Amino acid sequence: MWQTIFPYIISVTVLIMIITFMLSLYQFAKYFRTNRDVRRAWHRARGRMMFGIFMIAFAGNQLLLFSSAVTYIICAVLIVFGLANINYGIKAGRYFEQYFDEEDRAWAELDKDKKA
């Protein structure tokens, strides 16, 4: 039975890797394109969270494909860093979301001052 589902598990990890890598690139592109500081920090936090998921999926994929002591050590480090990035992304995202309204008001006031 393991031989029949093993290719599907590998395919799922590769699919997760592709999706999260593309989402992290999207968030980093949004980070560079926006000029609002709170939104920039929020996009960077979301990008780091997606990259953390990518690192964990990559480590899981490597653990399934290769079985050596070096692989286990490197994958353990990747999983720890991936969990740290996910934790940071969640906490920073929640922190910056509370300042969205304040930033919108400040930008609206700035636009109003520029028009006057």
Side-chain angles (χ1 to χ4, degrees), residues 5 9 21 24-25 27 30-31 45 54-55 62 64 68 79 95 104:
I5 62 171
I9 294 172
F21 187 73
S24 68
L25 286 178
Q27 291 296 332
K30 294 287 280 187
Y31 164 76
F54 168 79
M55 285 195 299
Q62 296 303 305
L64 291 172
S68 69
I79 289 171
Y95 176 77
D104 290 338

Side-chain angles (χ1 to χ4, degrees), residues 32-96:
F32 286 114
R33 294 194 66 186
T34 188
N35 58 356
R36 297 182 177 193
D37 293 333
V38 175
R39 305 280 173 155
R40 282 178 63 108
W42 184 75
H43 286 299
R44 186 172 56 200
R46 299 268 306 200
R48 283 184 66 176
M49 184 176 62
M50 291 298 143
F51 192 68
I53 296 170
F54 168 79
M55 285 195 299
I56 290 174
F58 181 78
N61 188 5
Q62 296 303 305
L63 285 173
L64 291 172
L65 292 176
F66 306 107
S67 59
S68 69
V70 174
T71 304
Y72 294 140
I73 293 169
I74 292 172
C75 289
V77 170
L78 283 175
I79 289 171
V80 167
F81 280 124
L83 289 173
N85 276 324
I86 291 171
N87 186 33
Y88 170 80
I90 290 171
K91 286 183 178 181
R94 287 182 186 156
Y95 176 77
F96 291 120

